[in-house]
Amino acid sequence: MRRRDFLGATVAGAAALAAPAVHGQASAARVLRIVPQANLTSLDPIWTTATITRTHAYLVYDTLVGMDSSFQPRPQMAEGWTIEDDGKVYTFTLREGLRFHNGEAVTARDVVASIKRWWARDGFGQEIAKRHASLVALDDRRLRLTLQKPFALTLKALGKANASPCFVMPESVANTDPHTQITSAIGSGPYRFVREEWNPGSRVVYARFEGYVPRQEPTDWTAGAKLANAERMEWHIIPDPATAGAALQSGEVDFWEIPLHDLLPVLRRNRNIEVVVRDPIGSVGMLRFNHLVPPFDNPALRRALMLAVDQENYLRAVVGDDPGMYATSYSFWSRGSPMHTEEGSEPLRVKSLERARAALREAGYAGQRVVQLHASDFPTLAALSQVTADLLRRLEINLEFVATDWGTVVQRRASREPIERGGWNIFHTTWSGPDWFDPASTLAMRANGTGAWFGWPTSERMEALREQWFEAPNQAEQKRIATEIQREAFRVVPHIPLGHFLSPSAHRRNVTGVIKSPIVLFYNMGKSA
Amino acid sequence: MTTSMADRLLEVEDLRTHFRTPDGVVRAVDGVSFHIAAGETLAVVGESGCGKSVTSMSILRLIPEPPGKVTGRIMFRGRDLLSLSEREMRQIRGNEISMIFQEPMTSLNPVLTVGRQIRETLKLHQGLDDRAAEARAIEMLDLVHIPEARRRVKEYPHQLSGGMRQRVMIAMALACNPKLLIADEPTTALDVTIQAQILDLMRELKAKVGAAILLITHDLGVVAEMAKRIVVMYAGRKVEEARANDLFRTPRHPYTRGLLGAVPKLGSSLASDAPSRLAEIPGIVPNLKKPIIGCAFASRCTEATELCRKVAPPIEAKAPGHFVACHHAAREAVAA
Amino acid sequence: MLAYVVRRVLATIPVMLVVAFVVFSMLMLAPGDPAAVIAGDQATPQDVERIRQALGLDRPFFVQFADFLWRLVHLDLGTSIFTNLPVTHMIAQRIEPTLALMVLTIVLAVSVAVPLGVVAAWKAGSWIDRGVMLFAVFGFSVPVFVVGYLLAYFVALEWELLPVQGYTPLSQGFLPFLENLILPAIALGTVYIALIARITRATMLEVLAQDYIRTARAKGLGTRPILFLHALKNAAVPISTVVGIGIALLIGGAVVTESVFAIPGLGRLTVDAILRRDYPVIQGVVLLFSFVYVLINLLIDLLYTLFDPRIRY
Ligand SMILES: Nc1ncnc2c1ncn2[C@@H]1O[C@H](COP(=O)(O)OP(=O)(O)OP(=O)(O)O)[C@@H](O)[C@H]1O
Ligand code: SF4
Ligand SMILES: [Mg+2]
């Protein structure tokens, strides 16, 4: 007996009262229902670096420059560009017929304002900002960026797809202070945000933007055609993984971005469901040290701990025993990146408690208290953190394991106080592969002390090498410098890389057009009836 | 005065009501027989716990079964009540036999109006509609002399005094013109002046309605005023039965004599003669959980003999219409 | 009566003020930093600090509290730090599912639990009674989410009788609305049914031993009017008290139920807001819940007068 019949029979009398069920405007086949990895709370992709907001932004906004699967910048909103004056002058021409969702044409002024808001916040953007002489709209369709000296990575920065990409908004919106959240979602992307149906924490709805003109080239990550194959896209935020799994099995949703690893076997067994590795690079785990407070302000201690780390233990704790779902990576750069190298990684391959114990003793560890922050509400982070705690205990380190929720961890990790006054020594987090791509994208590899990311490592050499990297004329030179940075990082140990793990997606078999990319992209997806 | 079988409205024969409890069977009523003629008033007296209430509840089949178990025969207008179904019994309760209780303060439902509680019976047994039942309820309240009946029917029990509540109970009990009214200590909880009023009312209504009354009481004064015949119970059994004036004048059972508190004065008038309360008798009532061997009263009886302790005295006519269960009760020449 | 109601409603104001203060101080003293959550993992500490300033979270406690009170006086609950939407708007979006779930659960629970409790009391000691009591123990000891999962698994996934999750607004038809709410209401109602059935049984046992029940039986009334009119009306006051107290239990359970069945209600809004330290939303929801709680208790006090004529205000 099917669902309708059951209630229909039971509540036959009430049926007369019931209005026909109206499921949105489009028929079921044209509505794509997605369970995203998180709840969309903020609509401003410059204000927050939250991945879910970026995923939202890639539907709603377009970018001047896209990035293809070989990590090369490609024109997206730009029809093309010219580079003159030894790489100091970039002139972009916009495609014809670009429109915002409010019907207005996209002009070069909109792009200029958007770039300026972006580079006030984004680290890679700041590299252009500090080198630029001027950025102006020449006319409605052309804008010009003039640099003080050549910067080879200009296009890569404009086309970056991790953290905060350079999304184009209407000028009036882009003029908002970069530290103030915008509430508008008017872009020129393939999907229109349906504000009336936005119910934060429950539902986000997008409708195909009929005014969007996709590029002619085939879709290639954020380059090429962006197709709105589904007429309507609904994000169903389902906080309970078991419920999300059940909803996918019953066909109440079509696509689940990141199923809990434990549930994958069940989903694989279902004939109507396909489990796909959408992101071939996956995420990387990190054990982050606080470099300001004892005992891990001592680099010898950080190096000593590294000797005990066995990435496989961490990876299996996260994904289980399926070896296809993880890969070790003895590198500070992500797999899949041209910068990836395992040179200098010998300490991370030692995997010996004995050696670590000896090194700890030698480094002068004498039972000082170590505060580890643990977020119990994110299964992945909790798993990584548990492995470290176990390791520390076996190394007879005087561990204070502080289990809270992520909201508390993010606050406490900002404290630079000694541990007696609410400080910390260790926490864990994960990053998507592109966030560890190269010195430009890898926030965690900054080593400029209190200006750096939480943990505040200091290494003049790493910073100097980073500067050199930006000036490198070609990829071979970039790689050489990145390798140097890594050697230094294995000495400084800003954090310990814990390896890559894949987070497959699961979807109903009739879902089409899933883009395989380390960046979450929901356009192109549709349903074959 | 003897009544022929045909006149008998209610005939209780060898009634036994036992309760199964965790520590033994309580023989609350153990072989009681009596009868009431139409329109007659029979009084049942005895110390607290002797089984008076259980007897009356047994007649209406209000004893919860289990733990209770009622056996014997209860013939009412030719039918054995013990063989009726619960449904048939319900048609008798409140209709042909109704009951009023000792506790007027708690016997009315506190959350329903007085009118509603009277109407309920009328609708149930007489098939009256709301309006007719309302009119009849007011009429009944008038009948039991409740002033402003029209207003009172809308009131709740807590707005009435104890005496008024007992009047309401009587009104409710008589609403369907029952053949038998069981009144279980109807005045015990009331002030002396109110008691007299209620008794007057009962007598008055009895005359009007013509119902027989089974009057259960501690109060010998009440018995003297109301009843022609008396049954005395002890430890779940009937120990003496006689016409009222016979019993007051010549109580033959030592227990009855104890109750009356003194050797009766011959020739004195009934009303002044009867003590208003039962006298205290030294000693304690036997445990009803154990089978009683011999005379139940033997442990407290000043005249008890070896025989008394071994053999239970049968109930026998010791004078015309005067039945006693005592080995040593004086026997008169009995005609019947 | 009216004067009483007005007095009671006015009396909620100081209560609400205290609640507001307690909630506010708890939020401010508890660890967690919305600015850090907002900024995302790839923000620099400097960005986080700038956002904190922009949100006014760096101001002294009492300045923030005064600001909060001032807005409250103007019935303004502020805007969510994260979505920038007015808290009143976010609550309005979420109120229907929670209200619907609560009402359905209460109706379901009362209409199941009261008869169960009555029958158990009437047949005290019988297997029916023991069955009901066993169910009550089960209802108390099995967590809401377990009941929820079991229901979702069997009823929705295996037998395909009802949807697994989600919510359909009443405006889209009564049947779809009901379809989505039945399982959550059962899951949420289990504890509540246990609670009400137990108190009903206990109260009824006491009431059934009362003299007026004997009177009712002596009148020839059948079992049903005795149990459900004469006895139940007397038991109604304690039962409705527990129904009222149980609503607090229900509010807690609703949070879990809404998560398990992905119902976009206030419970989930609260949890999300707490995890994210979205202070204005937490404050708004807690104030609303406490107001509703106070209101429900007032309502129940007024209900008493309906059940028991001896109670007057
Ligand atoms: N449900 C019951 N279970 C066990 N024993 C019972 C039950 N009901 C009555 N009894 C016992 O039966 C005996 C007779 O009780 P009953 O109420 O008939 O006394 P009574 O003569 O009416 O006394 P009183 O003058 O105090 O009203 C008592 O010992 C009492 O304990
Ligand atoms: S039989 Fe014996 S014990 Fe019993 S009352 Fe008569 S004299 Fe007393
Ligand atoms: Mg009695």
Side-chain angles (χ1 to χ4, degrees), chain B residues 48-49 51-54 56 102-103 184-185 216 218:
Chain B
S48 187
K52 304 183 296 289
S53 295
V54 170
S56 60
Q102 177 177 351
E103 306 86 0
D184 189 349
E185 312 201 28
I216 289 168
H218 279 121

Side-chain angles (χ1 to χ4, degrees), chain B residues 241 252 314-326 329-336:
Chain B
E241 177 188 337
R252 291 171 192 265
I315 189 140
E316 293 167 335
K318 304 277 172 161
H322 199 144
F323 303 87
V324 184
C326 172
R331 180 189 292 264
E332 283 176 14
V334 178

Side-chain angles (χ1 to χ4, degrees), chain A residues 2 198 200-201 240 243 408 411, chain C residues 32 94 149 160 260 268 277:
Chain A
R2 296 295 306 186
W198 181 36
D240 188 311
T243 307
T408 305
Q411 184 198 31
Chain C
R94 299 303 194 98
Y149 284 154
E160 302 186 1
V260 169
R268 264 182 63 205
R277 313 291 190 266

Side-chain angles (χ1 to χ4, degrees), chain A residues 4-17:
Chain A
R4 301 276 155 196
D5 312 334
F6 169 66
L7 257 194
T10 331
V11 205
L17 300 169

Side-chain angles (χ1 to χ4, degrees), chain B residues 32-71:
Chain B
V32 167
S33 304
F34 60 87
H35 64 88
I36 303 174
E40 188 194 12
T41 299
L42 174 74
V44 176
V45 298
E47 279 176 307
S48 187
C50 70
K52 304 183 296 289
S53 295
V54 170
T55 302
S56 60
M57 301 275 283
S58 300
I59 294 170
L60 265 187
R61 295 254 313 269
L62 292 177
I63 298 289
E65 290 178 90
K69 181 149 178 51
V70 183
T71 55

Side-chain angles (χ1 to χ4, degrees), chain C residues 90-101 167 264-266 288 292:
Chain C
M90 292 181 75
I91 288 178
Q93 266 185 333
R94 299 303 194 98
I95 208 156
E96 185 195 304
T98 300
L99 209 64
L101 177 62
Y167 176 77
L266 289 170
L288 178 75
V292 167

Side-chain angles (χ1 to χ4, degrees), chain B residues 195-217:
Chain B
Q195 279 186 15
Q197 291 173 12
I198 294 292
L199 289 176
D200 284 344
L201 178 67
M202 284 181 63
R203 262 198 309 256
E204 175 193 337
L205 292 180
K206 178 178 151 60
K208 271 191 196 155
V209 179
I213 298 178
L214 175 61
L215 177 68
I216 289 168
T217 182

